[in-house]
Amino acid sequence: MVKHIVMFKFKGTPEEKRSVSEQFKEALVELPSLIPQLKSIEVGININSDEKWDLVLTATADSLEDVAVYSAHPAHKNAVSIIAPFKEERACVDYKA
């Protein structure tokens, strides 16, 4: 199994960041039902304003190839389009679990 951990930092006011985070989360949690290669996804919105990152996701798949299929899937691309105007930074780690 591969864990795919991604953190995002968004631009905008606190209200804008919260809104885009909530919209993105709603879209992401639907993905396991739409993308067979995606086994699970958990999304957290940061509640600590002293920290740098606004949102984190943990997704699981059987392999890095499945992570690539998930990343290229149209439903995932639609979800990513929600944050495109707000994305300031992204960090990612993929590892075998």
Side-chain angles (χ1 to χ4, degrees), residues 48-95:
N48 185 347
S49 61
D50 292 337
E51 294 297 334
K52 174 180 179 175
W53 302 98
D54 296 301
L55 183 139
V56 63
L57 72 86
T58 303
T60 59
D62 288 333
S63 66
L64 274 177
E65 292 79 15
D66 286 346
V67 172
V69 170
Y70 143 70
S71 294
H73 194 280
H76 176 258
K77 289 186 176 200
N78 284 341
V80 170
S81 72
I82 293 167
I83 63 166
F86 297 92
K87 186 173 76 174
E88 186 171 322
E89 289 185 58
R90 176 186 179 274
C92 178
V93 173
D94 294 313
Y95 66 93

Side-chain angles (χ1 to χ4, degrees), residues 12-77:
T13 66
E15 295 78 19
E16 289 170 328
K17 291 181 188 188
R18 171 64 63 180
S19 177
V20 76
S21 293
E22 290 172 358
Q23 291 172 51
F24 191 40
K25 180 178 180 176
E26 285 179 27
L28 290 171
V29 297
E30 297 298 320
L31 295 181
S33 67
L34 302 171
I35 306 170
Q37 292 82 0
L38 185 60
K39 301 303 178 197
S40 68
I41 194 164
E42 180 180 351
V43 182
I45 298 171
N46 193 354
I47 60 170
N48 185 347
S49 61
D50 292 337
E51 294 297 334
K52 174 180 179 175
W53 302 98
D54 296 301
L55 183 139
V56 63
L57 72 86
T58 303
T60 59
D62 288 333
S63 66
L64 274 177
E65 292 79 15
D66 286 346
V67 172
V69 170
Y70 143 70
S71 294
H73 194 280
H76 176 258
K77 289 186 176 200

